[in-house]
Amino acid sequence: MKKIAIIYGSDSGNTETVAHAISKEFSGMDLHLANIADVSDVQLLEDGDFLILGTPTWGYGDLQEDWERFMPKLKKANLKGKTVALFGLGDSGAYPDTFVDAMAELYEVVIQGGARVIGQVPVDHYDFDDSRAVLDGNFVGLALDEDNESDLTDQRISEWVAKLKPLI
Ligand SMILES: Cc1cc2nc3c(=O)[nH]c(=O)nc-3n(C[C@H](O)[C@H](O)[C@H](O)COP(=O)(O)O)c2cc1C
Protein backbone atom coordinates (compact mmCIF):
# COMPACT_ATOMS: atom_id res chain seq x y z
CA MET A 1 0.00 0.00 0.00
CA LYS A 2 1.29 3.48 -0.84
CA LYS A 3 2.46 5.50 2.14
CA ILE A 4 0.74 8.87 2.46
CA ALA A 5 2.08 11.70 4.65
CA ILE A 6 0.03 14.82 5.33
CA ILE A 7 2.26 17.50 6.83
CA TYR A 8 1.08 20.96 7.73
CA GLY A 9 2.09 24.12 9.55
CA SER A 10 -0.48 26.21 11.37
CA ASP A 11 -0.35 29.30 13.61
CA SER A 12 -3.97 29.79 14.59
CA GLY A 13 -5.39 26.34 13.86
CA ASN A 14 -7.16 26.69 10.51
CA THR A 15 -4.64 24.70 8.50
CA GLU A 16 -4.54 22.08 11.23
CA THR A 17 -8.33 21.66 11.06
CA VAL A 18 -8.16 21.39 7.27
CA ALA A 19 -5.32 18.85 7.45
CA HIS A 20 -7.48 16.67 9.70
CA ALA A 21 -10.41 17.00 7.31
CA ILE A 22 -8.20 15.97 4.37
CA SER A 23 -6.84 13.03 6.35
CA LYS A 24 -10.38 11.73 6.90
CA GLU A 25 -10.74 11.45 3.12
CA PHE A 26 -7.85 8.95 3.14
CA SER A 27 -9.06 6.86 6.09
CA GLY A 28 -8.20 3.17 5.81
CA MET A 29 -5.00 3.99 3.93
CA ASP A 30 -1.42 3.97 5.23
CA LEU A 31 -1.49 7.55 6.44
CA HIS A 32 0.74 9.68 8.65
CA LEU A 33 -0.52 13.11 9.75
CA ALA A 34 2.01 15.51 11.29
CA ASN A 35 2.49 19.12 12.25
CA ILE A 36 5.78 20.33 10.74
CA ALA A 37 6.58 21.87 14.14
CA ASP A 38 6.96 18.28 15.41
CA VAL A 39 8.99 16.98 12.46
CA SER A 40 12.72 16.97 13.12
CA ASP A 41 14.14 15.52 9.92
CA VAL A 42 13.23 14.69 6.34
CA GLN A 43 12.79 10.97 6.99
CA LEU A 44 9.01 11.28 7.19
CA LEU A 45 8.94 12.96 3.77
CA GLU A 46 11.44 10.62 2.18
CA ASP A 47 9.56 7.56 3.51
CA GLY A 48 6.25 8.61 1.98
CA ASP A 49 5.17 7.84 -1.58
CA PHE A 50 2.55 10.56 -1.68
CA LEU A 51 3.00 13.78 0.29
CA ILE A 52 0.31 16.35 0.97
CA LEU A 53 1.88 19.54 2.30
CA GLY A 54 -0.15 22.45 3.68
CA THR A 55 0.68 25.96 4.81
CA PRO A 56 -1.13 29.19 5.61
CA THR A 57 0.34 32.48 4.42
CA TRP A 58 1.41 34.91 7.13
CA GLY A 59 3.02 38.36 7.26
CA TYR A 60 2.71 39.70 3.72
CA GLY A 61 3.01 36.65 1.51
CA ASP A 62 5.21 34.69 3.90
CA LEU A 63 5.51 31.00 4.62
CA GLN A 64 4.27 29.82 8.03
CA GLU A 65 7.09 30.03 10.59
CA ASP A 66 7.53 26.31 11.39
CA TRP A 67 7.79 25.55 7.67
CA GLU A 68 10.24 28.44 7.38
CA ARG A 69 12.42 26.82 10.07
CA PHE A 70 12.24 23.48 8.26
CA MET A 71 13.09 24.95 4.83
CA PRO A 72 16.86 24.30 4.92
CA LYS A 73 16.10 20.61 5.54
CA LEU A 74 13.35 20.47 2.93
CA LYS A 75 15.74 21.97 0.38
CA LYS A 76 18.10 19.04 0.92
CA ALA A 77 15.40 16.32 0.80
CA ASN A 78 15.52 13.81 -2.02
CA LEU A 79 11.98 13.84 -3.41
CA LYS A 80 12.67 12.01 -6.65
CA GLY A 81 9.83 9.61 -7.40
CA LYS A 82 7.50 11.30 -4.89
CA THR A 83 4.13 12.63 -5.81
CA VAL A 84 3.24 15.83 -3.94
CA ALA A 85 0.01 17.78 -3.59
CA LEU A 86 -0.14 21.16 -1.87
CA PHE A 87 -2.83 23.04 -0.03
CA GLY A 88 -2.67 26.62 1.18
CA LEU A 89 -4.82 28.77 3.41
CA GLY A 90 -5.15 32.50 3.07
CA ASP A 91 -7.45 35.48 3.40
CA SER A 92 -8.45 36.81 -0.02
CA GLY A 93 -10.41 39.70 1.52
CA ALA A 94 -7.66 41.20 3.69
CA TYR A 95 -4.70 40.05 1.56
CA PRO A 96 -5.94 40.03 -2.05
CA ASP A 97 -2.43 40.69 -3.45
CA THR A 98 -0.64 37.89 -1.60
CA PHE A 99 -3.41 35.32 -1.48
CA VAL A 100 -1.98 31.90 -0.48
CA ASP A 101 1.47 33.06 -1.64
CA ALA A 102 3.21 30.63 0.72
CA MET A 103 2.13 27.66 -1.35
CA ALA A 104 4.50 28.93 -4.04
CA GLU A 105 7.47 28.56 -1.69
CA LEU A 106 6.64 24.92 -0.99
CA TYR A 107 6.01 24.33 -4.69
CA GLU A 108 9.38 25.69 -5.78
CA VAL A 109 11.29 23.63 -3.24
CA VAL A 110 9.55 20.31 -3.89
CA ILE A 111 9.97 20.75 -7.66
CA GLN A 112 13.68 21.40 -7.11
CA GLY A 113 13.80 18.26 -4.97
CA GLY A 114 12.57 16.22 -7.92
CA ALA A 115 8.92 15.69 -6.98
CA ARG A 116 5.96 15.51 -9.33
CA VAL A 117 3.28 17.98 -8.20
CA ILE A 118 -0.38 17.16 -8.79
CA GLY A 119 -3.62 18.76 -7.61
CA GLN A 120 -3.51 22.13 -9.38
CA VAL A 121 -6.78 24.05 -9.11
CA PRO A 122 -8.20 26.63 -11.59
CA VAL A 123 -8.46 30.17 -10.18
CA ASP A 124 -11.94 30.69 -11.66
CA HIS A 125 -14.02 30.46 -8.51
CA TYR A 126 -11.82 32.59 -6.27
CA ASP A 127 -11.95 36.33 -5.66
CA PHE A 128 -8.43 37.79 -5.33
CA ASP A 129 -6.07 40.12 -7.22
CA ASP A 130 -2.69 38.43 -7.21
CA SER A 131 -0.91 35.36 -5.93
CA ARG A 132 2.57 33.96 -6.39
CA ALA A 133 0.95 30.53 -6.12
CA VAL A 134 -0.69 30.84 -9.56
CA LEU A 135 0.94 29.28 -12.61
CA ASP A 136 -0.76 29.27 -16.01
CA GLY A 137 -4.18 30.10 -14.59
CA ASN A 138 -4.08 27.48 -11.86
CA PHE A 139 -3.15 27.52 -8.21
CA VAL A 140 -0.25 25.12 -7.71
CA GLY A 141 -2.44 23.35 -5.14
CA LEU A 142 -5.74 23.69 -3.33
CA ALA A 143 -6.41 27.24 -2.11
CA LEU A 144 -8.74 27.58 0.87
CA ASP A 145 -10.05 30.69 2.59
CA GLU A 146 -11.40 30.03 6.05
CA ASP A 147 -11.74 33.75 6.73
CA ASN A 148 -14.22 34.50 3.93
CA GLU A 149 -15.33 31.26 2.27
CA SER A 150 -15.34 28.60 4.97
CA ASP A 151 -18.70 27.40 3.67
CA LEU A 152 -16.92 26.22 0.50
CA THR A 153 -14.09 24.36 2.22
CA ASP A 154 -15.66 20.91 2.66
CA GLN A 155 -16.75 20.74 -0.96
CA ARG A 156 -13.42 22.07 -2.23
CA ILE A 157 -11.59 19.41 -0.23
CA SER A 158 -13.75 16.50 -1.37
CA GLU A 159 -13.60 17.53 -5.04
CA TRP A 160 -9.83 17.95 -4.81
CA VAL A 161 -9.25 14.62 -3.10
CA ALA A 162 -11.48 12.86 -5.64
CA LYS A 163 -9.19 14.18 -8.40
CA LEU A 164 -6.01 13.21 -6.52
CA LYS A 165 -6.93 9.63 -5.69
CA PRO A 166 -6.70 8.17 -9.22
CA LEU A 167 -3.29 9.83 -9.64
CA ILE A 168 -1.51 8.37 -6.60
C1 LIG B 1 -1.14 39.10 10.43
C2 LIG B 1 -1.73 38.23 9.35
C3 LIG B 1 -1.10 38.19 8.11
C4 LIG B 1 -1.65 37.42 7.07
N1 LIG B 1 -1.08 37.46 5.80
C5 LIG B 1 -1.69 36.82 4.78
C6 LIG B 1 -1.20 36.93 3.44
O1 LIG B 1 -0.22 37.62 3.15
N2 LIG B 1 -1.86 36.25 2.45
C7 LIG B 1 -2.95 35.48 2.70
O2 LIG B 1 -3.52 34.89 1.78
N3 LIG B 1 -3.44 35.35 3.97
C8 LIG B 1 -2.83 35.98 5.01
N4 LIG B 1 -3.33 35.86 6.29
C9 LIG B 1 -4.49 34.98 6.53
C10 LIG B 1 -4.10 33.60 7.08
O3 LIG B 1 -3.29 32.90 6.18
C11 LIG B 1 -5.38 32.79 7.32
O4 LIG B 1 -6.11 33.39 8.35
C12 LIG B 1 -5.15 31.34 7.62
O5 LIG B 1 -6.38 30.66 7.65
C13 LIG B 1 -4.42 31.11 8.94
O6 LIG B 1 -4.11 29.75 9.05
P1 LIG B 1 -3.65 29.08 10.42
O7 LIG B 1 -4.80 29.27 11.41
O8 LIG B 1 -3.44 27.64 10.11
O9 LIG B 1 -2.39 29.74 10.88
C14 LIG B 1 -2.81 36.63 7.31
C15 LIG B 1 -3.41 36.68 8.58
C16 LIG B 1 -2.89 37.48 9.57
C17 LIG B 1 -3.61 37.53 10.90
Side-chain angles (χ1 to χ4, degrees):
M1 192 184 282
K2 292 240 165 105
K3 284 187 181 174
I4 302 171
I6 301 177
I7 306 172
Y8 63 90
S10 185
D11 278 16
S12 59
N14 291 338
T15 311
E16 180 161 47
T17 303
V18 164
H20 280 84
I22 292 172
S23 75
K24 288 206 180 93
E25 302 268 349
F26 291 92
S27 62
M29 300 178 80
D30 183 354
L31 174 75
H32 196 107
L33 174 66
N35 186 325
I36 193 63
D38 303 323
V39 177
S40 53
D41 60 41
V42 293
Q43 197 68 45
L44 177 63
L45 291 107
E46 293 188 342
D47 281 352
D49 301 300
F50 177 44
L51 310 175
I52 303 179
L53 310 180
T55 183
T57 297
W58 279 91
Y60 192 68
D62 299 338
L63 189 60
Q64 191 267 343
E65 59 181 357
D66 300 306
W67 271 120
E68 196 62 63
R69 259 195 297 275
F70 195 79
M71 260 314 187
K73 291 177 179 172
L74 187 61
K75 283 181 179 162
K76 288 188 196 146
N78 178 6
L79 301 177
K80 287 193 181 69
K82 311 282 176 209
T83 300
V84 174
L86 304 169
F87 66 99
L89 276 77
D91 178 342
S92 59
Y95 299 91
D97 295 321
T98 56
F99 181 51
V100 299
D101 265 16
M103 251 198 314
E105 300 200 25
L106 292 184
Y107 176 79
E108 283 154 20
V109 174
V110 298
I111 287 284
Q112 270 166 22
R116 169 178 78 123
V117 176
I118 62 170
Q120 289 81 358
V121 172
V123 298
D124 306 350
H125 302 292
Y126 294 86
D127 187 10
F128 68 103
D129 294 329
D130 201 5
S131 173
R132 285 196 285 128
V134 173
L135 268 184
D136 301 328
N138 294 307
F139 287 110
V140 294
L142 175 65
L144 296 169
D145 185 342
E146 287 297 274
D147 297 283
N148 307 286
E149 299 179 336
S150 60
D151 51 321
L152 300 178
T153 295
D154 287 348
Q155 194 188 343
R156 282 174 169 166
I157 289 173
S158 56
E159 286 176 5
W160 186 62
V161 172
K163 285 190 188 140
L164 296 180
K165 278 186 173 167
L167 303 175
I168 63 175

